[in-house]
Amino acid sequence: MEFRAWFQCINGCSGQYELTEIIYRCPDCGDLLEVQHDMDLLKKRSGDEWKRIFMDRYRTNDWPYGSSVWGKKELVCPNVDNDNVVSTFEGGTNLFWAERLGKQWGLEDLWIKQCGMAHTGSFKDLGMTVLVSMVKQMIANGKNIRAVACASTGDTSAALAAYCAVAGIPAIVFLPKNKVSLTQLIQPITHGILTLSLDTDFDGCMKLVQKLCAENDIYLANSMNSLRIEGQKTISFELVQQSNWEVPDFVVIPGGNLGNVSAVGKGFQMLYDLGIISKLPRLVCAQAERAAPLYRSYKKGFKNFKPIRAKKTLASAIQIGDPVSVKKAMRTLKAFDGIVEKATESELANAAGRANRTGLLCCPHTAVALAVTEKLARRGVFKPTDRIVVISTANGLKFTDFLTKYHMNKLKGIESEFPFSAVELPADYDRVRDTILENIGA
Ligand SMILES: *Cc1c(COP(=O)(O)O)cnc(C)c1O
Ligand SMILES: [Zn+2]
């Protein structure tokens, strides 16, 4: 069966554009594009048939379907030949029952979708596999693409660098100087990808990279390129599949540039339209208080969205004041009875500390989502038996500086509620034994 997808304007302008065209914005109104699938073709298979196909492919060795993104290829990006897929076996990340953490907030059914258990340590791999595969397809078709570039708060650049290195495609990444973790900075460097560290913030990098791409046959890999959204929407497919096709009551997503909250919504909507699920969850977008332009607008019924200058936050990957996908996100949140809530630096740090005590290793962005979860539980928006899925966006190992300083109570202006540090002792049996017995309360 032949499936079809194309770009079209989010405002409903009439043009349709091939996914192999180099186009990011609507030529008529200048707004973002989105990928539209031929739903009539997809509906020729029943919801049950799709479920069976997805279950059969899950983590199989059959290229490229063992990747949980490409295992849903027909719903994601049917326009790439399997030979041109650039994949590192994305997805299939653990859906973790946060039993002990949930109990502390009176929640019996709290789950964490561990999207950071990924090739480059964040959910950005899910979208980047689609974008870089499409670039490989375009190059195979004879398109003139000299390189691929992105601005990033650290995770998009790591993913772009790795996927381009896998495919042998040149790439350039723009990073705001001193605003990403050391691991994130070193990731593109290890792959030999041209890494620019610029004296500005993310929004400043974004402006430069857009101009560079528009004028130099360089392909733009930021999430205004809606190919990435198609890959990221498999987060919803996966977490439903992992719950035996049951839909949670709420999904909590940390939001910066706001592509991912749109992607998660798009995933659920598609499953619903294809008869794979029969209800929709409510979506919660969690922002860091120091970079919360969507929260401000939400408080006014999503009227008068105004970009802000984002202030420095521990949640550096969502330190964005002028989110590219704000319109898509507002549309999504309205359709999903959405909530936007924010967390302060102290709230996010201590949410991470609390979660770490229950066996997690929280990145600061996941911590924003957890802090917001705690708030909504205390406020009674989340009921004790509601099923809540928190999207963990990155692996805590990328943010060891944050974790070290938090647990050693060295984060400026923050009182750690869960301080802990290593005990240094001489290699003397009696001292070691006495210290241990004191600690385990003997
Ligand atoms: C990119 C990113 C986000 C935010 O996703 P948006 O689509 O920009 O809203 C959140 N957390 C981490 C770790 C990220 O890398
Ligand atoms: Zn338009």
Side-chain angles (χ1 to χ4, degrees):
M1 228 187 284
E2 277 289 309
F3 296 94
R4 270 178 15 90
W6 57 87
F7 288 126
Q8 66 182 36
C9 173
I10 59 168
N11 297 327
C13 300
S14 62
Q16 292 188 356
Y17 313 92
E18 297 292 327
L19 298 189
T20 46
E21 268 184 64
I22 300 177
I23 184 168
Y24 317 108
R25 289 188 176 276
C26 170
D28 297 326
C29 74
D31 217 326
L32 295 187
L33 300 171
E34 65 188 340
V35 175
Q36 176 62 47
H37 291 260
D38 186 329
M39 293 299 283
D40 290 335
L41 284 178
L42 290 168
K43 281 178 189 165
K44 287 189 177 164
R45 284 187 184 147
S46 70
D48 283 340
E49 276 176 279
W50 282 121
K51 283 186 212 175
R52 206 179 49 247
I53 290 169
F54 298 153
M55 293 308 266
D56 284 349
R57 289 176 181 169
Y58 194 66
R59 297 180 78 76
T60 158
N61 294 322
D62 189 12
W63 174 270
Y65 302 106
S67 152
S68 193
V69 171
W70 296 103
K72 280 99 178 170
K73 186 180 176 192
E74 297 87 343
L75 281 63
V76 170
C77 188
N79 315 43
V80 172
D81 297 334
N82 284 355
D83 287 346
N84 288 320
V85 166
V86 182
S87 169
T88 63
F89 211 72
E90 301 72 27
T93 53
N94 188 25
L95 182 62
F96 174 85
W97 180 32
E99 182 186 11
R100 290 187 60 227
L101 182 61
K103 267 201 187 122
Q104 297 179 41
W105 298 331
L107 301 172
E108 295 165 20
D109 211 5
L110 176 65
W111 298 76
I112 300 184
K113 177 66 175 152
Q114 295 275 50
C115 296
M117 304 298 183
H119 190 73
T120 71
S122 85
F123 77 90
K124 298 294 201 295
D125 290 0
L126 302 170
M128 209 50 87
T129 182
V130 176
L131 183 137
V132 175
S133 298
M134 189 52 85
V135 170
K136 191 169 174 194
Q137 180 74 51
M138 288 191 280
I139 292 172
N141 295 353
K143 273 251 155 51
N144 179 28
I145 296 176
R146 293 163 70 193
V148 186
C150 73
S152 178
T153 51
D155 287 329
T156 296
S157 42
L160 179 67
Y163 280 85
C164 282
V166 167
I169 296 169
I172 307 132
V173 302
F174 288 56
L175 294 173
K177 193 172 164 190
N178 297 331
K179 294 185 179 74
V180 306
S181 78
L182 185 59
T183 309
Q184 291 172 321
L185 174 64
I186 214 70
Q187 282 182 294
I189 291 172
T190 61
H191 303 311
I193 297 295
L194 184 56
T195 303
L196 309 180
S197 181
L198 302 177
D199 202 3
T200 177
D201 57 6
F202 169 81
D203 298 301
C205 289
M206 194 66 225
K207 288 198 183 86
L208 289 172
V209 77
Q210 288 192 56
K211 188 164 155 68
L212 175 88
C213 289
E215 295 177 1
N216 296 282
D217 296 322
I218 293 173
Y219 193 72
L220 179 64
N222 279 98
S223 59
M224 63 185 287
N225 185 326
S226 50
L227 290 169
R228 284 189 36 212
I229 303 297
E230 292 309 290
Q232 288 171 206
K233 88 189 175 195
T234 62
I235 293 174
S236 310
F237 298 175
E238 246 188 54
L239 71 85
V240 166
Q241 183 171 357
Q242 288 170 312
S243 316
N244 295 323
W245 308 102
E246 277 180 35
V247 177
D249 297 294
F250 291 91
V251 181
V252 187
I253 310 144
N257 224 0
L258 304 176
N260 208 32
V261 68
S262 326
V264 169
K266 196 161 188 241
F268 280 112
Q269 190 64 52
M270 199 166 187
L271 294 181
Y272 185 82
D273 293 342
L274 292 175
I276 295 171
I277 57 173
S278 53
K279 72 164 212 178
L280 294 172
R282 289 183 70 186
L283 297 186
V284 179
C285 180
Q287 294 211 293
E289 185 177 71
R290 297 175 69 80
L294 187 68
Y295 173 79
R296 290 190 190 185
S297 154
Y298 166 75
K299 281 293 178 192
K300 295 178 190 141
F302 286 129
K303 284 190 198 86
N304 306 327
F305 175 83
K306 276 199 204 76
I308 59 162
R309 193 182 184 92
K311 295 196 202 103
K312 190 169 172 59
T313 164
L314 291 164
S316 50
I318 54 176
Q319 189 179 322
I320 295 175
D322 189 6
V324 163
S325 295
V326 65
K327 253 200 192 170
K328 282 186 188 178
M330 293 200 293
R331 190 182 59 180
T332 303
L333 287 164
K334 283 180 197 163
F336 284 78
D337 196 7
I339 298 169
V340 185
E341 188 49 79
K342 62 181 169 44
T344 65
E345 297 298 287
S346 166
E347 286 166 346
L348 79 86
N350 282 310
R354 184 181 294 280
N356 293 347
R357 282 287 171 98
T358 67
L360 290 155
L361 191 73
C362 239
C363 84
H365 323 88
T366 305
V368 170
L370 289 175
V372 160
T373 299
E374 175 176 4
K375 270 188 198 178
L376 295 179
R378 291 202 193 294
R379 204 178 290 159
V381 178
F382 293 169
K383 303 281 179 282
T385 56
D386 282 344
R387 175 167 298 172
I388 295 144
V389 177
V390 171
I391 307 300
S392 172
T393 46
N395 194 312
L397 290 173
K398 283 187 151 196
F399 300 91
T400 45
D401 188 52
F402 160 70
L403 294 170
T404 310
K405 284 188 178 145
Y406 173 79
H407 287 288
M408 298 181 98
N409 205 4
K410 284 182 180 158
L411 283 175
K412 236 189 259 157
I414 291 172
E415 192 58 47
S416 299
E417 289 170 25
F418 302 92
F420 213 65
S421 52
V423 180
E424 290 185 17
L425 288 175
D428 172 272
Y429 178 75
D430 290 345
R431 293 275 307 275
V432 168
R433 181 202 53 209
D434 291 350
T435 306
I436 290 172
L437 293 184
E438 257 169 50
N439 266 276
I440 61 178

